Amino acid sequence: MKKKILVLFGTRPEAIKLAPVISELKKSKKFKSIICSTGQHREMLKQVLDIFKIKIDIDLDLMLPNQNLFDISVNTLEKLKNYYLEIKPDVVVVQGDTTTAFIASLAAFYLKIKVAHVEAGLRSYNKMSPFPEEVNRRFISIIADYHFVPTLPSMNNLITEGFSKQQIWVTGNTVIDSLLSVKTLLTKKSIKEKILNSFKTHFPIEILSKKTVLITMHRREKFGAEFIKILEVIRRIATKYLDYYFIYPVHLNPNVQKPVTKILGKLKNVILLPPLDYLTFVFLMSKCSFIISDSGGVQEECYVFRKPILVTRDVTERNEAIKAGYAFLVGSDEKKIYSKFKMVDKKISQNFDFFTKPNPFGDGRAAKKIVKILENI
Ligand code: UD1
Ligand code: UDP
């Protein structure tokens, strides 16, 4: 009899990174896969489901405007209890470090259901940064039965913490699988034209042949004064570097929307956009000069397009990117942001190669490996 495997996600990055796993599971003869969204995100999740043609079996539709961690945690735990009891999955697959992933693991544990964790073992070893993700992922590790780690350093983190090597598999990061599949779509002329047309209401597309910086930022631990500080630095840079355009698809969180619109909204060379569907965002990644972001996924993806990144965080769990020499940790420190901006700008103008080391995040076959391992367990 086929085993029931429940794939569970709630936010944009989880869906992007689980899309290739879902696609492999659908091909598997050993599993009946069921897809559940908690709906921690709404519009931003729908964009991903559409691009990857993911059909969800159940949407718990939990998102509330400006939700706090209690809202998401309590509502998810309560809803999942009944859903798990009804479905009775053999295994639940979660991804990363969101509150959806943590609470879905906790609910599975309470009902003694096995948990498979995709993108396990990432650590900053600072429980306040990223907040609450560092603690979410450590809790998930304690609960999970199968740990799919993207890199060797992530495996070493788990082994150092006392997890059994027999339950850990190094697979690469599934984000590379997703990105490569979308990159192939971008070779189609009709798709490219559609994307370019979608920009026309926002900015003249000639901008894309100029120097551009792509920006994304949304981390909870920076909300308030620190986030404003970073935005002020970006404002000063944009005012000085008038030969650059700054393209910023703004996360829908009101704690992000409000200060970004207030501080950057009126600058001529700053283009604020709504969150972009994955295909369009990836297209912009391929076109930009470099990136400023605090996103986890973007630190992994930018290698594929050979775009350096300034990471506006104090610590990163993606040290592989720093070591590979294409990511620079700048936090919210004005001097660091400014000096690294200047350095990257200069090196790009000299055609410096930031990408001499192999991609630390894998070869695009992570999902295949994960599903094969699950089939053999
Ligand atoms: C969440 C995750 C974070 C992940 C990020 C990816 C937690 C605690 N945080 O943070 O780890 O990196 O997603 O983007 O799990 N909103 C909308 N529409 C959407 C999505 C969000 O309006 O489609 C607004 C809502 O007002 C919502 C708010 O953004 O209440 C915050 O969403 P939430 O999921 O709580 O936090 P994120 O900052 O998105
Ligand atoms: N992304 C997207 N549209 C955007 C901005 C980002 O599709 O407008 C993608 C990006 O390529 C990456 C993922 O969303 O795969 C990252 O999501 P986010 O930054 O929200 O979360 P994190 O990775 O920090 O958890």
Side-chain angles (χ1 to χ4, degrees):
M1 209 170 77
K2 284 188 177 185
K3 294 269 181 202
K4 263 193 205 170
I5 191 159
L6 178 64
V7 184
L8 217 144
F9 52 79
T11 66
R12 167 172 71 188
E14 291 166 86
I16 291 172
K17 290 174 169 180
L18 284 173
V21 178
I22 293 171
S23 157
E24 287 304 316
L25 280 172
K26 292 280 172 204
K27 292 183 222 159
S28 168
K29 292 194 171 70
K30 294 207 173 164
F31 291 115
K32 173 178 167 39
S33 55
I34 303 162
I35 316 301
C36 171
S37 163
T38 61
Q40 178 176 334
H41 280 177
R42 192 164 291 145
E43 303 84 347
M44 286 163 54
L45 184 65
K46 186 168 182 311
Q47 290 179 324
V48 184
L49 302 180
D50 292 346
I51 293 285
F52 288 104
K53 299 188 172 61
I54 299 172
K55 204 181 137 301
I56 47 179
D57 297 294
I58 177 121
D59 182 1
L60 304 180
D61 196 22
L62 291 174
M63 197 198 87
L64 299 172
N66 205 8
Q67 63 207 359
N68 59 45
L69 297 174
F70 295 90
D71 298 325
I72 323 168
S73 306
V74 173
N75 296 339
T76 307
L77 193 59
E78 194 170 19
K79 285 263 176 151
L80 280 182
K81 176 192 165 202
N82 294 333
Y83 186 58
Y84 284 176
L85 285 172
E86 180 196 329
I87 297 289
K88 296 190 177 56
D90 296 293
V91 189
V92 173
V93 180
V94 298
Q95 194 283 334
D97 50 22
T98 65
T99 295
T100 283
F102 163 48
I103 299 295
S105 312
L106 184 64
F109 172 66
Y110 286 163
L111 294 172
K112 301 197 176 89
I113 300 166
K114 300 269 187 217
V115 173
H117 186 199
V118 175
E119 200 186 74
L122 275 65
R123 297 288 187 268
S124 65
Y125 290 110
N126 176 342
K127 73 176 180 184
M128 299 311 287
S129 182
F131 173 88
E133 291 83 0
E134 173 70 7
V135 167
N136 282 348
R137 60 194 172 213
R138 288 202 225 171
F139 281 142
I140 300 171
S141 294
I142 291 170
I143 292 169
D145 301 277
Y146 318 117
H147 311 267
F148 297 107
V149 297
T151 62
L152 268 175
S154 317
M155 171 152 108
N156 291 336
N157 289 339
L158 290 183
I159 290 172
T160 310
E161 288 170 28
F163 293 94
S164 158
K165 212 174 169 178
Q166 313 309 319
Q167 303 303 112
I168 309 171
W169 294 268
V170 184
T171 60
N173 198 308
T174 55
V175 80
I176 305 297
D177 310 22
S178 305
L179 184 55
L180 294 181
S181 68
V182 163
K183 195 178 164 211
T184 310
L185 290 179
L186 288 176
T187 56
K188 289 192 183 159
K189 201 172 161 218
S190 59
I191 291 185
K192 253 203 260 180
E193 272 169 10
K194 205 171 155 201
I195 293 174
L196 288 172
N197 273 331
S198 75
F199 289 146
K200 281 184 183 157
T201 49
H202 297 289
F203 58 85
I205 54 174
E206 296 73 51
I207 280 177
L208 295 176
S209 55
K210 309 215 155 110
K211 295 206 273 188
T212 55
V213 174
L214 181 61
I215 304 177
T216 80
M217 275 186 295
H218 68 86
R219 296 248 80 86
R220 251 186 170 80
E221 68 273 8
K222 293 270 179 236
F223 287 167
E226 278 215 71
F227 190 48
I228 290 172
K229 205 168 125 193
I230 297 171
L231 293 173
E232 290 289 358
V233 181
I234 292 175
R235 188 177 60 77
R236 283 196 280 279
I237 289 178
T239 319
K240 178 160 184 232
Y241 285 82
L242 290 168
D243 52 338
Y244 267 95
Y245 284 90
F246 297 78
I247 305 183
Y248 186 167
V250 188
H251 192 292
L252 292 180
N253 194 325
N255 298 293
V256 178
Q257 288 271 330
K258 278 187 206 150
V260 170
T261 315
K262 191 166 167 215
I263 296 170
L264 299 177
K266 292 207 175 88
L267 297 182
K268 279 206 179 108
N269 56 339
V270 177
I271 296 148
L272 302 184
L273 301 174
L276 300 170
D277 68 72
Y278 191 49
L279 197 58
T280 309
F281 185 77
V282 168
F283 177 78
L284 277 185
M285 216 177 338
S286 75
K287 291 281 168 204
C288 73
S289 311
F290 65 100
I291 299 171
I292 298 178
S293 177
D294 60 14
S295 161
V298 177
Q299 290 176 64
E300 295 151 351
E301 292 168 331
C302 60
Y303 185 101
V304 172
F305 295 107
R306 306 176 86 77
K307 306 294 175 182
I309 182 167
L310 306 191
V311 181
T312 49
R313 296 191 188 189
D314 301 324
V315 283
T316 177
E317 58 291 90
R318 274 99 175 162
N319 273 311
E320 295 90 339
I322 309 280
K323 283 199 183 132
Y326 68 86
F328 305 93
L329 208 53
V330 294
S332 48
D333 183 279
E334 168 148 18
K335 272 197 191 138
K336 268 194 203 159
I337 301 176
Y338 220 94
S339 69
K340 293 296 178 198
F341 187 98
K342 209 169 145 190
M343 179 274 291
V344 172
D345 170 53
K346 189 168 170 212
K347 290 203 163 173
I348 287 177
S349 70
Q350 296 164 341
N351 289 323
F352 179 83
D353 187 4
F354 290 92
F355 296 86
T356 51
K357 303 215 171 97
N359 187 344
F361 297 108
D363 57 6
R365 288 182 298 160
K368 275 195 168 61
K369 290 179 198 160
I370 289 170
V371 172
K372 211 168 181 115
I373 294 160
L374 283 170
E375 284 179 336
N376 290 327
I377 285 171

